[in-house]
Amino acid sequence: MTSPVMIDPAAPARTPARTEGRAPVGPGGARSSRWLSKTAVNGVLVIAAVYTLFPLIWLITAATKDAGNLLGGDVFSFEGFNLGGNLSALSTYQDGVYFRWYGNSLLYAGIGALGCSLVSVAAGYAFDKYRFRGKEKLFALVLLGVLLPSTALSLPLYLLAVKTGTVNTYWAVLIPSLVNPFGVYLSRIFSAGYIPDEVLEAARIDGAGEMRTFWSVGLRMVMPGFVTVFLFQFTAIWNNFFLPLVMLSDKKLYPLSLGLYNWHSTANADPSFYPMVVTGSLLAVAPLIIAFITLQRHWKAGLTAGSVK
Protein backbone atom coordinates (compact mmCIF):
# COMPACT_ATOMS: atom_id res chain seq x y z
CA MET A 1 0.00 0.00 0.00
CA THR A 2 1.48 3.35 -1.12
CA SER A 3 1.78 6.24 1.28
CA PRO A 4 -0.08 9.44 0.46
CA VAL A 5 1.91 12.32 -1.08
CA MET A 6 2.42 15.16 1.35
CA ILE A 7 2.23 18.72 -0.10
CA ASP A 8 4.03 21.48 1.71
CA PRO A 9 1.76 24.53 1.89
CA ALA A 10 4.80 26.85 2.16
CA ALA A 11 6.36 25.59 -1.10
CA PRO A 12 5.94 27.98 -4.08
CA ALA A 13 3.57 26.89 -6.78
CA ARG A 14 5.26 25.64 -9.97
CA THR A 15 4.22 27.19 -13.26
CA PRO A 16 3.90 24.91 -16.27
CA ALA A 17 6.98 24.90 -18.48
CA ARG A 18 6.73 26.70 -21.83
CA THR A 19 6.76 24.41 -24.78
CA GLU A 20 8.27 27.09 -27.03
CA GLY A 21 11.08 29.54 -26.68
CA ARG A 22 8.86 32.59 -27.01
CA ALA A 23 5.43 33.72 -25.93
CA PRO A 24 2.57 33.21 -28.36
CA VAL A 25 1.78 36.18 -30.56
CA GLY A 26 -1.77 37.43 -30.65
CA PRO A 27 -3.70 38.51 -33.77
CA GLY A 28 -2.65 42.13 -33.32
CA GLY A 29 1.02 41.22 -33.03
CA ALA A 30 0.86 39.03 -36.13
CA ARG A 31 -0.73 41.84 -38.15
CA SER A 32 1.92 44.27 -36.92
CA SER A 33 4.70 41.87 -37.86
CA ARG A 34 3.28 41.38 -41.36
CA TRP A 35 2.90 45.13 -41.79
CA LEU A 36 6.51 45.72 -40.79
CA SER A 37 7.69 43.01 -43.18
CA LYS A 38 5.72 44.47 -46.09
CA THR A 39 6.98 47.96 -45.28
CA ALA A 40 10.59 46.76 -45.23
CA VAL A 41 10.22 44.88 -48.51
CA ASN A 42 8.45 47.78 -50.23
CA GLY A 43 11.05 50.19 -48.92
CA VAL A 44 13.87 48.12 -50.40
CA LEU A 45 12.02 47.89 -53.72
CA VAL A 46 11.47 51.66 -53.82
CA ILE A 47 15.16 52.30 -53.12
CA ALA A 48 16.16 49.83 -55.85
CA ALA A 49 13.73 51.42 -58.33
CA VAL A 50 15.03 54.93 -57.60
CA TYR A 51 18.61 53.73 -57.90
CA THR A 52 17.79 52.10 -61.26
CA LEU A 53 15.81 55.01 -62.71
CA PHE A 54 18.08 57.80 -61.43
CA PRO A 55 20.58 57.60 -64.36
CA LEU A 56 17.73 57.47 -66.89
CA ILE A 57 16.08 60.54 -65.36
CA TRP A 58 19.41 62.35 -65.48
CA LEU A 59 19.85 61.33 -69.12
CA ILE A 60 16.38 62.58 -70.09
CA THR A 61 16.82 65.99 -68.50
CA ALA A 62 20.45 66.41 -69.60
CA ALA A 63 19.54 65.67 -73.23
CA THR A 64 17.35 68.78 -73.30
CA LYS A 65 20.21 71.22 -72.53
CA ASP A 66 22.87 72.99 -74.50
CA ALA A 67 26.54 72.81 -73.54
CA GLY A 68 26.43 75.81 -71.17
CA ASN A 69 23.42 74.66 -69.14
CA LEU A 70 24.64 71.06 -69.16
CA LEU A 71 28.02 71.90 -67.66
CA GLY A 72 27.06 74.80 -65.41
CA GLY A 73 23.34 74.61 -64.68
CA ASP A 74 20.91 72.42 -62.78
CA VAL A 75 20.88 69.16 -64.71
CA PHE A 76 17.56 67.96 -63.23
CA SER A 77 15.59 70.94 -64.49
CA PHE A 78 14.35 71.72 -68.00
CA GLU A 79 15.82 75.22 -67.96
CA GLY A 80 17.27 76.16 -71.34
CA PHE A 81 15.30 73.50 -73.21
CA ASN A 82 17.25 72.68 -76.38
CA LEU A 83 16.27 69.13 -77.31
CA GLY A 84 15.36 70.11 -80.89
CA GLY A 85 18.74 71.73 -81.42
CA ASN A 86 20.56 68.70 -80.06
CA LEU A 87 18.62 66.34 -82.36
CA SER A 88 19.32 68.62 -85.31
CA ALA A 89 23.04 68.60 -84.51
CA LEU A 90 22.97 64.79 -84.33
CA SER A 91 21.34 64.46 -87.74
CA THR A 92 23.57 66.97 -89.53
CA TYR A 93 27.02 66.42 -88.06
CA GLN A 94 29.27 64.73 -90.64
CA ASP A 95 26.28 64.04 -92.91
CA GLY A 96 24.37 62.23 -90.19
CA VAL A 97 27.05 59.71 -89.28
CA TYR A 98 25.30 59.11 -85.93
CA PHE A 99 22.29 57.47 -87.57
CA ARG A 100 24.62 55.38 -89.71
CA TRP A 101 26.14 54.13 -86.47
CA TYR A 102 22.59 53.53 -85.23
CA GLY A 103 21.83 51.39 -88.26
CA ASN A 104 25.09 49.49 -87.80
CA SER A 105 24.20 48.70 -84.19
CA LEU A 106 20.74 47.50 -85.22
CA LEU A 107 22.35 45.30 -87.87
CA TYR A 108 24.97 43.83 -85.53
CA ALA A 109 22.57 43.32 -82.62
CA GLY A 110 19.51 42.19 -84.61
CA ILE A 111 21.13 39.69 -86.95
CA GLY A 112 23.72 38.59 -84.38
CA ALA A 113 21.15 37.98 -81.63
CA LEU A 114 18.75 36.16 -83.97
CA GLY A 115 21.47 33.91 -85.37
CA CYS A 116 22.96 33.28 -81.94
CA SER A 117 19.55 32.31 -80.54
CA LEU A 118 18.97 29.77 -83.33
CA VAL A 119 22.45 28.29 -82.92
CA SER A 120 22.19 28.16 -79.12
CA VAL A 121 18.72 26.59 -79.06
CA ALA A 122 19.69 24.01 -81.69
CA ALA A 123 22.88 23.13 -79.78
CA GLY A 124 21.08 22.96 -76.44
CA TYR A 125 18.38 20.77 -77.99
CA ALA A 126 21.03 18.40 -79.39
CA PHE A 127 22.89 18.19 -76.08
CA ASP A 128 19.66 17.38 -74.26
CA LYS A 129 17.82 15.04 -76.62
CA TYR A 130 20.54 13.11 -78.45
CA ARG A 131 23.13 10.62 -77.26
CA PHE A 132 26.54 10.63 -78.93
CA ARG A 133 30.08 9.80 -77.96
CA GLY A 134 31.85 12.48 -75.94
CA LYS A 135 28.70 14.52 -75.35
CA GLU A 136 29.41 15.43 -71.74
CA LYS A 137 33.07 16.19 -72.44
CA LEU A 138 32.06 18.49 -75.28
CA PHE A 139 29.50 20.16 -73.05
CA ALA A 140 32.22 20.63 -70.43
CA LEU A 141 34.17 22.61 -73.04
CA VAL A 142 31.07 24.75 -73.57
CA LEU A 143 30.93 25.44 -69.84
CA LEU A 144 34.62 26.34 -69.94
CA GLY A 145 33.77 28.89 -72.61
CA VAL A 146 31.28 30.46 -70.21
CA LEU A 147 34.10 31.11 -67.74
CA LEU A 148 36.31 32.89 -70.28
CA PRO A 149 35.85 36.69 -70.47
CA SER A 150 35.04 38.02 -73.92
CA THR A 151 37.94 40.47 -73.81
CA ALA A 152 40.40 37.56 -73.55
CA LEU A 153 39.09 36.21 -76.87
CA SER A 154 39.35 39.48 -78.80
CA LEU A 155 42.99 39.03 -79.85
CA PRO A 156 42.54 35.41 -81.08
CA LEU A 157 39.41 36.52 -82.95
CA TYR A 158 41.36 39.38 -84.52
CA LEU A 159 44.10 37.03 -85.70
CA LEU A 160 41.46 34.71 -87.20
CA ALA A 161 39.84 37.68 -88.93
CA VAL A 162 43.22 38.66 -90.39
CA LYS A 163 43.67 35.13 -91.77
CA THR A 164 40.19 35.16 -93.34
CA GLY A 165 40.39 38.72 -94.62
CA THR A 166 37.34 39.96 -92.71
CA VAL A 167 39.06 42.68 -90.66
CA ASN A 168 37.34 46.07 -90.94
CA THR A 169 34.16 44.55 -92.39
CA TYR A 170 30.70 43.86 -91.00
CA TRP A 171 31.56 40.16 -90.77
CA ALA A 172 34.32 40.83 -88.24
CA VAL A 173 31.66 41.80 -85.68
CA LEU A 174 28.77 39.63 -86.88
CA ILE A 175 30.45 36.21 -87.01
CA PRO A 176 31.78 36.19 -83.40
CA SER A 177 28.34 37.32 -82.22
CA LEU A 178 26.72 34.11 -83.49
CA VAL A 179 28.28 31.99 -80.73
CA ASN A 180 27.46 32.29 -77.04
CA PRO A 181 28.43 29.43 -74.68
CA PHE A 182 26.09 30.69 -71.97
CA GLY A 183 23.23 30.63 -74.49
CA VAL A 184 23.95 26.96 -75.25
CA TYR A 185 24.01 26.12 -71.54
CA LEU A 186 20.75 28.00 -70.95
CA SER A 187 19.09 26.39 -73.97
CA ARG A 188 19.91 22.90 -72.74
CA ILE A 189 18.21 23.71 -69.42
CA PHE A 190 15.13 25.05 -71.21
CA SER A 191 15.03 22.04 -73.53
CA ALA A 192 15.11 19.63 -70.59
CA GLY A 193 12.29 21.46 -68.83
CA TYR A 194 9.98 22.36 -71.71
CA ILE A 195 10.24 19.57 -74.30
CA PRO A 196 8.95 16.16 -73.15
CA ASP A 197 10.55 13.18 -74.87
CA GLU A 198 7.08 11.68 -75.44
CA VAL A 199 6.11 14.59 -77.72
CA LEU A 200 9.19 14.09 -79.88
CA GLU A 201 8.53 10.36 -80.11
CA ALA A 202 4.97 11.06 -81.21
CA ALA A 203 6.24 13.39 -83.94
CA ARG A 204 8.69 10.76 -85.17
CA ILE A 205 5.96 8.11 -85.22
CA ASP A 206 3.87 10.45 -87.38
CA GLY A 207 6.69 10.49 -89.91
CA ALA A 208 8.45 13.77 -89.10
CA GLY A 209 12.20 13.86 -89.64
CA GLU A 210 14.65 15.21 -87.11
CA MET A 211 14.81 18.69 -88.65
CA ARG A 212 11.01 18.87 -88.96
CA THR A 213 10.64 17.66 -85.37
CA PHE A 214 13.00 20.33 -84.09
CA TRP A 215 11.62 23.17 -86.21
CA SER A 216 7.90 22.44 -85.83
CA VAL A 217 7.78 20.94 -82.33
CA GLY A 218 10.92 21.53 -80.29
CA LEU A 219 11.56 25.15 -81.26
CA ARG A 220 7.96 26.16 -80.63
CA MET A 221 7.90 24.56 -77.19
CA VAL A 222 11.19 26.14 -76.13
CA MET A 223 10.29 29.60 -77.44
CA PRO A 224 10.59 31.24 -73.96
CA GLY A 225 14.20 30.06 -73.88
CA PHE A 226 14.74 31.37 -77.42
CA VAL A 227 13.46 34.80 -76.39
CA THR A 228 15.60 34.79 -73.25
CA VAL A 229 18.78 34.03 -75.20
CA PHE A 230 17.79 36.64 -77.81
CA LEU A 231 17.37 39.38 -75.21
CA PHE A 232 20.63 38.53 -73.46
CA GLN A 233 22.59 38.47 -76.71
CA PHE A 234 20.89 41.56 -78.15
CA THR A 235 21.84 43.54 -75.04
CA ALA A 236 25.40 42.17 -75.06
CA ILE A 237 25.98 43.01 -78.73
CA TRP A 238 24.34 46.42 -78.45
CA ASN A 239 26.63 47.36 -75.56
CA ASN A 240 29.69 45.64 -77.01
CA PHE A 241 32.66 47.96 -77.23
CA PHE A 242 35.97 46.10 -77.17
CA LEU A 243 35.40 43.78 -80.15
CA PRO A 244 34.46 46.61 -82.59
CA LEU A 245 37.39 48.64 -81.22
CA VAL A 246 39.77 45.82 -82.15
CA MET A 247 38.17 44.85 -85.47
CA LEU A 248 37.11 48.14 -87.05
CA SER A 249 39.03 51.19 -88.23
CA ASP A 250 36.50 52.64 -90.68
CA LYS A 251 34.23 55.08 -88.84
CA LYS A 252 31.36 54.27 -91.18
CA LEU A 253 31.29 50.73 -89.76
CA TYR A 254 31.28 51.80 -86.10
CA PRO A 255 28.42 50.81 -83.79
CA LEU A 256 26.93 53.38 -81.44
CA SER A 257 29.09 52.41 -78.49
CA LEU A 258 32.34 53.07 -80.36
CA GLY A 259 31.06 56.17 -82.12
CA LEU A 260 29.83 57.82 -78.93
CA TYR A 261 33.14 56.96 -77.26
CA ASN A 262 35.01 58.87 -80.00
CA TRP A 263 32.72 61.85 -79.58
CA HIS A 264 33.21 61.78 -75.83
CA SER A 265 36.99 61.78 -76.32
CA THR A 266 36.61 64.82 -78.59
CA ALA A 267 34.36 66.54 -76.03
CA ASN A 268 37.28 66.78 -73.59
CA ALA A 269 38.81 69.35 -75.96
CA ASP A 270 35.56 70.73 -77.44
CA PRO A 271 32.70 70.89 -74.86
CA SER A 272 30.16 71.50 -77.63
CA PHE A 273 30.17 67.73 -78.22
CA TYR A 274 28.73 66.98 -74.78
CA PRO A 275 25.06 67.67 -75.71
CA MET A 276 25.39 65.40 -78.77
CA VAL A 277 26.96 62.63 -76.67
CA VAL A 278 24.22 62.82 -74.03
CA THR A 279 21.37 63.05 -76.57
CA GLY A 280 22.87 60.21 -78.59
CA SER A 281 23.13 58.09 -75.45
CA LEU A 282 19.45 58.72 -74.70
CA LEU A 283 18.41 57.57 -78.16
CA ALA A 284 20.68 54.54 -77.84
CA VAL A 285 18.63 53.25 -74.89
CA ALA A 286 15.38 53.13 -76.89
CA PRO A 287 15.92 49.80 -78.78
CA LEU A 288 16.69 47.95 -75.55
CA ILE A 289 13.53 49.26 -73.88
CA ILE A 290 11.43 48.44 -76.95
CA ALA A 291 12.86 44.91 -77.17
CA PHE A 292 12.14 44.11 -73.52
CA ILE A 293 8.62 45.58 -73.62
CA THR A 294 7.75 43.83 -76.89
CA LEU A 295 9.07 40.40 -75.89
CA GLN A 296 8.14 40.38 -72.22
CA ARG A 297 4.92 38.45 -72.99
CA HIS A 298 6.92 35.45 -74.18
CA TRP A 299 9.35 35.81 -71.29
CA LYS A 300 6.58 35.93 -68.68
CA ALA A 301 4.93 32.90 -70.26
CA GLY A 302 8.16 30.99 -69.79
CA LEU A 303 8.56 32.06 -66.17
CA THR A 304 5.04 30.96 -65.19
CA ALA A 305 4.73 27.80 -67.30
CA GLY A 306 5.80 25.51 -64.48
CA SER A 307 3.08 26.72 -62.15
CA VAL A 308 0.32 24.92 -64.09
CA LYS A 309 2.04 21.55 -64.44
Side-chain angles (χ1 to χ4, degrees):
M1 183 175 181
T2 59
S3 60
V5 178
M6 303 298 293
I7 300 177
D8 187 2
R14 293 185 179 181
T15 58
R18 294 181 180 177
T19 57
E20 296 182 359
R22 57 185 178 86
V25 180
R31 284 194 297 268
S32 176
S33 178
R34 285 196 297 269
W35 182 84
L36 290 175
S37 299
K38 290 181 179 179
T39 303
V41 171
N42 292 333
V44 172
L45 292 177
V46 168
I47 293 173
V50 171
Y51 178 80
T52 303
L53 295 176
F54 186 81
L56 182 60
I57 296 173
W58 183 93
L59 197 61
I60 293 173
T61 56
T64 64
K65 298 181 178 299
D66 55 16
N69 289 315
L70 179 61
L71 297 176
D74 183 8
V75 180
F76 291 99
S77 69
F78 290 96
E79 182 181 358
F81 191 85
N82 192 45
L83 181 60
N86 294 339
L87 292 175
S88 177
L90 275 181
S91 60
T92 57
Y93 183 76
Q94 292 185 349
D95 297 327
V97 68
Y98 171 82
F99 290 101
R100 184 180 181 89
W101 296 340
Y102 212 100
N104 292 339
S105 291
L106 289 174
L107 177 68
Y108 295 141
I111 296 179
L114 184 61
C116 176
S117 301
L118 286 173
V119 171
S120 298
V121 170
Y125 175 87
F127 274 118
D128 176 49
K129 300 303 179 185
Y130 295 118
R131 295 181 180 178
F132 51 89
R133 181 178 298 178
K135 181 178 76 170
E136 296 303 328
K137 294 180 179 179
L138 185 59
F139 189 70
L141 291 177
V142 174
L143 295 180
L144 182 62
V146 176
L147 301 178
L148 293 176
S150 58
T151 53
L153 301 176
S154 297
L155 182 58
L157 288 174
Y158 175 77
L159 296 177
L160 288 173
V162 170
K163 292 292 185 180
T164 56
T166 57
V167 175
N168 202 30
T169 64
Y170 287 107
W171 298 109
V173 179
L174 275 175
I175 293 177
S177 302
L178 298 178
V179 180
N180 184 3
F182 179 73
V184 177
Y185 166 74
L186 197 63
S187 297
R188 182 177 183 178
I189 296 175
F190 272 100
S191 177
Y194 284 84
I195 307 178
D197 295 336
E198 294 80 4
V199 176
L200 301 181
E201 290 297 331
R204 295 186 183 107
I205 291 173
D206 290 340
E210 294 300 325
M211 286 297 298
R212 178 67 181 275
T213 301
F214 167 72
W215 188 261
S216 300
V217 180
L219 184 60
R220 295 177 183 273
M221 297 185 71
V222 81
M223 188 55 66
F226 180 92
V227 173
T228 302
V229 175
F230 178 87
L231 288 175
F232 281 157
Q233 190 69 359
F234 186 90
T235 304
I237 299 173
W238 187 267
N239 296 327
N240 195 8
F241 170 77
F242 197 72
L243 182 64
L245 179 64
V246 172
M247 294 291 188
L248 304 177
S249 58
D250 187 357
K251 290 187 176 181
K252 293 183 179 180
L253 301 178
Y254 281 2
L256 275 177
S257 56
L258 192 54
L260 290 175
Y261 171 78
N262 281 345
W263 278 4
H264 185 267
S265 301
T266 306
N268 294 328
D270 186 2
S272 62
F273 274 86
Y274 277 118
M276 289 197 299
V277 172
V278 174
T279 307
S281 300
L282 177 62
L283 295 181
V285 178
L288 299 178
I289 297 176
I290 293 173
F292 273 87
I293 293 177
T294 304
L295 300 175
Q296 68 175 341
R297 177 172 60 88
H298 301 281
W299 209 1
K300 288 181 178 178
L303 292 175
T304 58
S307 62
V308 297
K309 292 183 179 180

